[in-house]
Amino acid sequence: MKTRNILNNIAIGLLFMAPVSTFAQSEWTVTDAQKKVTNPIAFSDQSVNEGKTIYLANCKSCHGDPTKNNGLSLVPKPTDFGLQAFLDLNSDGSIFQKMTEGRATMPTYAAILTEDQRWNVVNYIRSFDANFTPSA
């Protein structure tokens, strides 16, 4: 009887894990229209500093310090926003949309942060991009 209960618990656990692991392995996509959305907040020291403050209060606990790859061990693993590969693959609109919608272990920030706050975080993240040139 005890063996049967253990096997049942394992089976139930696997049922719950399967969708999470499948979802975790899928690509996090945004629409072409969302990718093309431009940041309405000018890239500036003030915006980057505001974004950093917001990041430290809301994002660092999971994502860790940008460029340090010290985020939490979650599934999926939170992105290190200081990685150039991430910055090259994601437009400002993509980063904003992912932050807005969330998925899996990442909460939605639509009701937590204002749009301006989310755009300031995008500017903070973009400040780690060696290939970024702010528009004049």
Side-chain angles (χ1 to χ4, degrees):
M1 188 67 152
K2 189 173 185 177
T3 303
R4 185 179 211 183
N5 286 340
I6 291 170
L7 290 175
N8 284 341
N9 288 340
I10 291 171
I12 290 169
L14 289 173
L15 286 173
F16 284 107
M17 287 175 48
V20 171
S21 64
T22 300
F23 187 75
Q25 294 172 3
S26 66
E27 216 33 58
W28 191 350
T29 58
V30 295
T31 67
D32 287 339
Q34 292 166 332
K35 289 177 188 176
K36 293 177 184 175
V37 174
T38 57
N39 190 337
I41 305 293
F43 186 89
S44 66
D45 289 341
Q46 178 181 349
S47 174
V48 169
N49 288 333
E50 288 178 24
K52 180 179 181 180
T53 300
I54 296 163
Y55 179 91
L56 293 174
N58 295 277
C59 313
K60 181 183 174 180
S61 60
C62 291
H63 289 275
D65 302 294
T67 74
K68 304 294 185 197
N69 198 24
N70 61 356
L72 289 180
S73 295
L74 299 172
V75 176
K77 182 164 176 46
T79 299
D80 180 342
F81 295 122
L83 296 176
Q84 194 61 49
F86 169 82
L87 296 164
D88 289 343
L89 289 173
N90 287 276
S91 67
D92 288 358
S94 293
I95 297 168
F96 179 85
Q97 191 60 36
K98 290 174 181 182
M99 189 184 336
T100 299
E101 290 181 358
R103 81 166 190 170
T105 56
M106 164 108 178
T108 174
Y109 279 88
I112 298 169
L113 301 174
T114 67
E115 284 191 24
D116 284 357
Q117 288 174 317
R118 284 178 272 147
W119 283 118
N120 284 325
V121 172
V122 171
N123 281 337
Y124 172 65
I125 291 169
R126 194 57 70 194
S127 74
F128 295 94
D129 188 346
N131 300 322
F132 177 70
T133 305
S135 53

